Amino acid sequence: MIYINDDIEGFDFQAALPHLSDQRREEALRYTFELGRKLNAAAYLLLRQGLMEEYGIIEAPVFGYGEKGKPFLSGHGDLHFNLSHCRTAVVCALSRHPVGIDVEHIRPLRESLVRYTMNDAEITQIMSAESPDLEFVKLWTQKEAVLKLRGTGITDDIKEALCDEEHPHTVVNLEKGYVFSVAGGDENWVFKNADLGLFL
């Protein structure tokens, strides 16, 4: 199951605070800017909503962290989740299987970043695409989703991250200006636009 919220502008951070765990509240408040605080809190509430609706879990989840920093749900080892956010959207993937998800805002292409993160075939694919900016973001989110699935984060082998994997499922929202990709998890994803007013 994938939960999505792309009404970050209307998200009420102060109203969200009582619904965050102590752990997550401290993390959110470490952000200097309001947008970072909103995104951090909104991602957590997506997870809470998904856990309630899909698994009947009503308590505020607490995270543990793997060796490379990938979070897991303390006390619920049979469930897997992954969170991601950009300035226009927040996404949460929930599954009985390991999962990775990444969302990014579509922005102008930076050639130096392309050459640092993409292999030769991917560079050709990007540069020959009708919209190189969009093609890059699609491939970038796919790579991030795969690396988050593995629990390694950004690594030296990012250029080859997709070589031995089925490409993740990718969704493009041109109206809102973002792309997200999900790797692992379930074969047939169901997407839900979240109503965070459930908490606020």
Side-chain angles (χ1 to χ4, degrees), residues 1-4 45-59 79 94 96 190-199:
M1 191 69 61
I2 294 176
Y3 284 80
I4 308 158
L45 293 192
L46 280 186
L47 176 61
R48 284 205 67 177
Q49 182 177 347
L51 290 172
M52 282 194 299
E53 291 184 2
E54 307 305 324
Y55 304 108
I57 297 171
I58 60 172
E59 70 268 16
L79 300 179
L94 277 169
R96 293 281 186 187
V190 175
F191 304 94
K192 287 192 174 183
N193 288 316
D195 177 15
L196 295 182
L198 178 71
F199 296 94

Side-chain angles (χ1 to χ4, degrees), residues 81 131 186:
F81 80 99
S131 173
D186 303 302

Side-chain angles (χ1 to χ4, degrees), residues 173-190:
N173 188 325
L174 292 177
E175 179 186 356
K176 296 278 189 166
Y178 63 82
V179 175
F180 71 84
S181 294
V182 58
D186 303 302
E187 292 183 8
N188 300 307
W189 287 104
V190 175

